[in-house]
Amino acid sequence: MEKSYESLVDEIDKSYEELVEKVKKYNPQCDFELLNKAYLFAKEAHKVQHRVSGEPYIIHPLEVAHILADLELDCESLVAGILHDVVEDTPCNFEEIKNQFGEQIALLVDGVTKLGKIPYTTKEEEQVENLRKMFLAMAKDIRVILIKLADRLHNMRTIRSMPEDKQRQKARETLEVYAPLAHRLGITKIKWELEDLSLRCLDPIAYYEIVESIAQKRQERDAYIKIIIDSIKARLDELGIQGYVDGRAKHFYSIYRKMFAQGKSIEEIYDLFAVRVIVNSVKDCYGVLGMVHEMYKPIPGRFKDYIAMPKPNMYQSLHSTLIGPSGTPFEIQIRTWDMHRIAEYGIAAHWKYKEGKSGVSDLDSKLAWVRQLLEIQRDLTDAEEFMQTLKIDLFADEVFVFTPKGDVINLPAGSTPIDFAYAIHSAIGNSMIGAKVNGKIVPIEYNLKNGDIVEILTSSTSHGPSRDWLKIAKTSQARNKINQWFKKNKREENIARGKELVEKELKKLGLTHSQLFRNEWVEIVLKKYGFNSLDDIYANIGYGAMHPSKIVLRLRDEYKKTVKPEVPEIAPEETKPVPSEDKKRKQKSNGVIVKGIDNCLVRLSRCCNPVPGDEIIGYITRGRGVSVHRKDCSNVKLTGEESSRLIEVSWEKSQSVSYLSDVQVLANDRGGLLVEVTNCIADSKIPLKGINARTSKDKIAVINLTLEIQGTEQLDKIIKKLRKLDGVFEVNRSRQ
C-alpha cells in the first residue's frame, strides 16, 4: 500500500534532522536558521510534486543536500542544493530566491537550472546550450558543478523508476560528461559511483557478472591482501614510521574497461585490488616506497610519481605495481593524509569556501582549465563538435613532458609536438617548422610519451600553420588556435573555400544556390548562429569551424516550409473508380503517377535511385514503358529530339510503397567500423538489402549500402546518423 504525503512527513523531517546533525559535526558555524528556512521553502514549493517513482519530490533535493554534506561543503552550497529545482520545476523565479536567500545562493541555483522556454532545432543543441550555461556558471563559482554532480548522483541512484530508454540516455550522458567532470575535479568517490551506476544501466549483464565474480573470490582475495597488509604494517613498525595501511578492490567500471581494452576475462585480471599506505609526511612517502620495493619486486615501467608531478585535478600519490608473495601482481598507492583527502574529495576539499574566504587563491589557478574550455568553445556553433571537444578535454588520460628548461607540461595522451607548441604559446605554434624530442628530430605526428623533453623549432619566415595540422592535433586548444590563425589571416581564402564546400553540399542534395539562399532565409540562419553576414558563414565553413551541411540543411528546412510542392494535373478519367484488375496493375507503377497516361509500365531508374521527396522526371523508353529519373540525373540532360521523350511524373501519396536507395559511406579505415555502420542502420529499423565494402590504397574505407526506405526524409535521417560515426567524413546517395 502506497504511503500518503502526510504519512511520509515524519520520515522526511527526520532526514532533514539527520542532515543538520551531519553538518554540525564538520561546520558548527553554519547558518542553521537559513538552512531550515530553505528546507521549509522547498518543501512548500514542491508540495504537490512527485517523482516518477511516486515518492514526494522534496526527498530528492534533501538527498542532494546530504551528498553535499558528505563532501563537507559550506552552508550556502547546502541551501542551494535544497533549492536547486525550485526555479526549474515550480512557479518560483530567480528574483524570489534572491530576495529570500540572497544573490549568492540565487546565482548558485540559477547556475544549476536548465535553460527553459527557448526553442532548439535538436535535442543535441539544447543539451549543448545547457552545458555551456553550466560551465559559464562553474567558471564563476565552482560550487555550481558540485551541486550538479550531487543532483546527478542521486538521480542515478534512483534511475530504475524511469523508462528503460531514458535510463540509457541519462547513463550515457553521465558516463560521457558528468563522471569525467568529477574526475577532472578530483572527486574520486563521486566519479566511481557515477561510473558504476552508469555501467549497471548500459551493460547490466557485464555489471552483474563482475559483481558476482568478485563476490565469489572475496574470501580468497581478502586473505591474500591481509598477508600483504600485515607484512607492510610490521615493517613500518620496525622502521618507526607511523602509517595507516588498507586494501581496496577496484570499482566495477574500472575492471570492465580493463576487460574491454585488453580482451580478457575477469579470471585473467590479477590486479583487481590495491594496497594503500597513508603516512604523515612526503619524506615518509618516499621512505615507504623504498621499503616496499625491497619487500616485493616492482614491475618495470609501472611506477608513477604524482607527488613530484601532480595531476591537473590536484591528485598526488606514489603508484607502483609489485609482484606479491604468490606471484600475483598488486598495486600500491602511497600518500599523506592531506593528499588522501584531496584524492577522495578533490576540489571540494579545498579550504576556500570552508573558511568563507574569497578572491584570488590557489583554487582559481586549478580552475584555469574551465575558463580555457569556455574560451576554446565560445566560437563552436556546431552542437556535435562542441560535445566532441568537450569529451576530449574531460576524458583524456594525461602525459607529462618537459620543456628544455625543465618545466612540466601536461597534455592529453596521444598529443603531438603541435599540441605542445600551442600549449606553450600561440606564437610558438604559428611559427613552428619542426620539433626535437630527447635531442632528435621527430615528425610532427609523433605521439609524445611521459618524460619526453620537447624542443620546438621555429622560423620567423614561417608562413603559419597548415590545414593538415587540424587532423594531427589532439587538443581542442591547439585546433582552436590554428583555426583562429586561419580566421584572422586567410579570410578571403576561407570565404572562397567555404563557398566551394557549400556548392558541393548543394550538389549532393540535388539543390541549387538560387533555391535556398533567399535573403529572408539567410537572415534566419545568421540570427540563429550569431553571424553578421553571409561571408562570415562562408569564412567559418572555410576554416573548419562549421560543417557546410549545417547551413544547407537549415536553409532547406526553410525552403520546405515556404515552397509548396506542385500538385500534379490529374486527368478526368483518373478520378473515376478503378476496376480491381487495374488496381493490380497500378501497384506495379512503383508509386509514380505519369501525367496524362493511366496504367502504363513504370520503372525507377537504377542510375540515380529516385525516392519520394526527390524531384523526378519521366523518360519514355522504346518498349519498356516510362523510366523515372531524378531531375538532376546526368542521364536526363537531353537535347534535340531526345528531349521530347521527357514526360512529367509525380509521386503518389500512398505511404505503403518502399524503395531501394544506394548510399556510399567514406571513412578512415579502423576496426569495428563495419559493425557500427550496420548497427546504426539496424537501430533505425531500416532494412539493409545489400552491402559491399573495400579499403583503398589510402586506407579509406568505401562502404556501399542498399537500403529499403520510404522517402527522402527517412533517407536524410539515416545519412545524418551515419555521418556522426567516428571516422566517417562523407556519406552520400550513390548516383551517376
Side-chain angles (χ1 to χ4, degrees):
M1 185 175 173
E2 289 187 14
K3 295 179 182 179
S4 65
Y5 187 92
E6 288 72 20
S7 66
L8 284 165
V9 166
D10 288 342
E11 289 180 34
I12 295 167
D13 287 343
K14 187 180 177 184
S15 175
Y16 172 70
E17 288 164 12
E18 289 169 358
L19 172 68
V20 170
E21 291 305 312
K22 191 184 287 186
V23 177
K24 281 180 179 176
K25 288 178 183 176
Y26 75 86
N27 185 12
Q29 287 80 39
C30 176
D31 187 344
F32 290 103
E33 190 177 328
L34 186 68
L35 190 66
N36 188 58
K37 181 181 176 182
Y39 169 58
L40 295 175
F41 186 92
K43 190 175 171 183
E44 181 62 30
H46 293 300
K47 188 172 183 179
V48 297
Q49 293 178 319
H50 290 77
R51 305 193 78 208
V52 177
S53 60
E55 64 187 10
Y57 196 89
I58 187 62
I59 290 174
H60 168 63
L62 202 50
E63 285 300 317
V64 168
H66 270 282
I67 294 168
L68 296 171
D70 290 336
L71 294 174
E72 298 188 0
L73 287 190
D74 65 311
C75 199
E76 284 185 343
S77 299
L78 300 176
V79 171
I82 290 173
L83 298 171
H84 80 273
D85 274 337
V86 166
V87 172
E88 190 174 326
D89 295 334
T90 78
C92 298
N93 57 33
F94 175 84
E95 287 301 320
E96 193 171 349
I97 300 296
K98 181 180 172 182
N99 293 336
Q100 293 271 355
F101 300 96
E103 186 172 10
Q104 198 65 45
I105 288 170
L107 288 170
L108 288 174
V109 172
D110 184 60
V112 182
T113 303
K114 292 197 288 286
L115 297 167
K117 299 174 185 173
I118 300 174
Y120 293 100
T121 306
T122 64
K123 189 72 179 170
E124 288 81 6
E125 281 188 16
E126 184 179 354
Q127 182 194 25
V128 162
E129 290 311 313
N130 282 320
L131 287 171
R132 277 192 211 272
K133 180 189 176 186
M134 187 178 74
F135 277 111
L136 196 60
M138 178 182 164
K140 294 175 184 173
D141 195 327
I142 191 60
R143 293 175 294 179
V144 166
I145 196 59
L146 300 179
I147 297 166
K148 188 63 186 176
L149 286 172
D151 172 46
R152 179 51 64 107
L153 179 56
H154 185 249
N155 281 333
M156 289 302 297
R157 285 175 179 174
T158 56
I159 199 169
R160 288 183 169 182
S161 57
M162 297 181 75
E164 193 174 329
D165 60 327
K166 286 280 186 184
Q167 286 187 39
R168 294 182 66 81
Q169 178 195 330
K170 289 287 181 189
R172 188 156 297 286
E173 184 184 50
T174 299
L175 209 52
E176 291 179 348
V177 177
Y178 292 99
L181 260 175
H183 168 71
R184 195 71 192 256
L185 295 169
I187 313 170
T188 309
K189 286 180 74 171
I190 287 182
K191 177 211 172 196
W192 285 355
E193 191 175 352
L194 287 174
E195 287 178 339
D196 285 350
L197 291 170
S198 298
L199 176 61
R200 190 178 70 184
C201 287
L202 295 170
D203 196 343
I205 294 172
Y207 174 84
Y208 286 111
E209 276 181 4
I210 294 169
V211 171
E212 192 177 335
S213 299
I214 287 178
Q216 286 172 353
K217 294 196 170 186
R218 183 169 182 172
Q219 286 185 329
E220 180 187 329
R221 185 183 72 244
D222 288 353
Y224 178 69
I225 275 284
K226 190 175 186 306
I227 294 169
I228 296 169
I229 289 172
D230 289 346
S231 63
I232 292 174
K233 279 181 179 175
R235 191 78 179 108
L236 286 173
D237 291 340
E238 285 176 28
L239 296 173
I241 298 175
Q242 288 185 335
Y244 171 79
V245 189
D246 75 343
R248 63 163 184 84
K250 291 194 173 183
H251 67 297
F252 302 135
Y253 184 70
S254 172
I255 296 167
Y256 175 83
R257 282 189 70 187
K258 199 158 197 175
M259 290 168 66
F260 182 78
Q262 298 177 5
K264 293 181 177 180
S265 67
I266 196 163
E267 288 77 18
E268 296 174 287
I269 299 174
Y270 296 109
D271 55 338
L272 294 175
F273 43 81
V275 173
R276 184 181 291 146
V277 183
I278 306 174
V279 292
N280 295 326
S281 68
V282 172
K283 180 184 175 184
D284 285 346
C285 288
Y286 289 99
V288 170
L289 178 69
M291 179 195 85
V292 294
H293 278 190
E294 285 178 8
M295 296 173 66
Y296 306 104
K297 187 176 181 180
I299 296 176
R302 295 298 299 271
F303 168 66
K304 291 175 183 174
D305 187 345
Y306 293 119
I307 292 179
M309 291 187 293
K311 289 187 176 185
N313 61 11
M314 303 184 293
Y315 177 87
Q316 288 184 289
S317 201
L318 297 175
H319 286 201
S320 189
T321 304
L322 311 168
I323 303 294
S326 61
T328 303
F330 70 94
E331 185 182 67
I332 190 162
Q333 299 169 355
I334 307 163
R335 60 180 71 143
T336 66
W337 285 103
D338 283 343
M339 292 173 193
H340 178 63
R341 181 168 178 75
I342 289 172
E344 293 286 301
Y345 298 104
I347 216 151
H350 206 279
W351 52 262
K352 180 175 180 180
Y353 293 118
K354 300 275 169 58
E355 299 179 9
K357 296 182 180 179
S358 59
V360 177
S361 73
D362 185 48
L363 179 63
D364 294 312
S365 65
K366 302 296 182 188
L367 291 175
W369 65 271
V370 181
R371 285 180 282 278
Q372 188 181 79
L373 188 65
L374 284 168
E375 180 67 28
I376 288 167
Q377 297 177 346
R378 185 180 59 189
D379 295 332
L380 293 182
T381 52
D382 188 313
E384 188 181 333
E385 191 175 353
F386 181 98
M387 291 303 297
Q388 191 59 38
T389 56
L390 179 65
K391 289 173 194 174
I392 289 170
D393 284 323
L394 293 180
F395 245 139
D397 293 327
E398 299 94 12
V399 291
F400 297 92
V401 293
F402 297 91
T403 67
K405 291 182 179 179
D407 295 326
V408 180
I409 303 294
N410 168 248
L411 294 166
S415 291
T416 66
I418 296 170
D419 299 296
F420 179 90
Y422 281 102
I424 301 296
H425 197 280
S426 302
I428 300 292
N430 292 337
S431 59
M432 172 180 166
I433 56 169
K436 285 184 179 180
V437 174
N438 304 325
K440 295 180 181 178
I441 290 178
V442 296
I444 56 173
E445 299 92 346
Y446 173 86
N447 286 338
L448 299 174
K449 298 174 182 62
N450 274 319
D452 280 346
I453 300 170
V454 187
E455 181 186 352
I456 301 299
L457 307 175
T458 61
S459 170
S460 57
T461 58
S462 166
H463 295 298
S466 162
R467 288 192 189 277
D468 292 336
W469 290 10
L470 291 167
K471 299 172 186 174
I472 299 168
K474 171 74 175 178
T475 61
S476 53
Q477 179 187 12
R479 288 199 302 273
N480 182 60
K481 288 181 176 179
I482 294 166
N483 277 328
Q484 283 180 350
W485 187 89
F486 279 106
K487 184 178 180 180
K488 183 179 177 182
N489 295 279
K490 301 280 184 176
R491 180 170 170 82
E492 294 305 316
E493 183 184 311
N494 290 332
I495 291 171
R497 179 180 166 81
K499 286 179 178 177
E500 185 183 324
L501 291 170
V502 167
E503 285 300 327
K504 282 184 180 178
E505 195 66 28
L506 287 168
K507 283 181 182 176
K508 284 181 193 174
L509 298 171
L511 295 165
T512 64
H513 192 281
S514 59
Q515 279 178 306
L516 296 195
F517 282 76
R518 291 190 185 178
N519 289 338
E520 60 268 32
W521 300 341
V522 170
E523 282 299 320
I524 292 170
V525 173
L526 290 175
K527 190 175 180 181
K528 177 176 173 58
Y529 292 108
F531 293 116
N532 294 320
S533 69
L534 191 54
D535 277 354
D536 288 344
I537 292 179
Y538 288 137
N540 269 263
I541 293 169
Y543 73 77
M546 178 179 279
H547 195 277
S549 65
K550 296 289 174 186
I551 298 299
V552 173
L553 293 177
R554 189 71 184 81
L555 288 168
R556 192 184 68 173
D557 289 344
E558 296 301 324
Y559 173 78
K560 285 182 175 179
K561 284 183 204 172
T562 312
V563 178
K564 294 180 181 178
E566 289 182 19
V567 179
E569 194 177 311
I570 301 171
E573 58 268 23
E574 287 182 306
T575 62
K576 296 176 183 178
V578 183
S580 58
E581 191 63 35
D582 283 351
K583 277 186 182 177
K584 289 179 184 176
R585 281 187 230 153
K586 193 169 183 180
Q587 286 173 358
K588 295 179 182 179
S589 68
N590 291 312
V592 175
I593 299 170
V594 181
K595 184 179 178 182
I597 303 175
D598 192 21
N599 296 329
C600 70
L601 179 64
V602 174
R603 66 183 183 87
L604 301 178
S605 170
R606 291 292 291 160
C607 63
C608 57
N609 290 317
V611 295
D614 288 335
E615 290 187 84
I616 52 176
I617 190 77
Y619 177 76
I620 302 169
T621 65
R622 291 180 172 88
R624 288 181 298 152
V626 175
S627 172
V628 178
H629 296 256
R630 286 164 59 180
K631 277 191 176 177
D632 62 347
C633 179
S634 59
N635 286 342
V636 293
K637 294 189 178 357
L638 307 173
T639 57
E641 289 184 7
E642 286 293 303
S643 63
S644 64
R645 301 170 75 94
L646 297 177
I647 188 169
E648 192 174 331
V649 293
S650 60
W651 296 105
E652 285 184 12
K653 291 185 178 179
S654 170
Q655 299 297 314
S656 60
V657 185
S658 57
Y659 304 82
L660 295 181
S661 183
D662 293 333
V663 173
Q664 186 177 76
V665 178
L666 301 179
N668 296 316
D669 191 31
R670 62 174 176 83
L673 174 64
L674 196 58
V675 174
E676 287 185 28
V677 168
T678 53
N679 284 346
C680 181
I681 293 165
D683 289 344
S684 300
K685 295 182 173 55
I686 294 175
L688 177 61
K689 294 299 183 182
I691 185 167
N692 180 279
R694 61 184 174 85
T695 304
S696 71
K697 291 179 183 178
D698 302 326
K699 298 292 182 186
I700 300 297
V702 181
I703 304 171
N704 292 307
L705 308 163
T706 301
L707 308 176
E708 185 176 307
I709 54 99
Q710 256 115 37
T712 50
E713 190 175 344
Q714 190 183 29
L715 188 59
D716 288 344
K717 281 182 182 176
I718 188 61
I719 286 175
K720 197 177 290 185
K721 281 188 178 181
L722 289 169
R723 280 177 180 154
K724 289 182 180 179
L725 295 179
D726 186 31
V728 172
F729 56 83
E730 195 169 330
V731 183
N732 296 314
R733 287 176 63 179
S734 299
R735 69 178 75 182
Q736 274 201 346

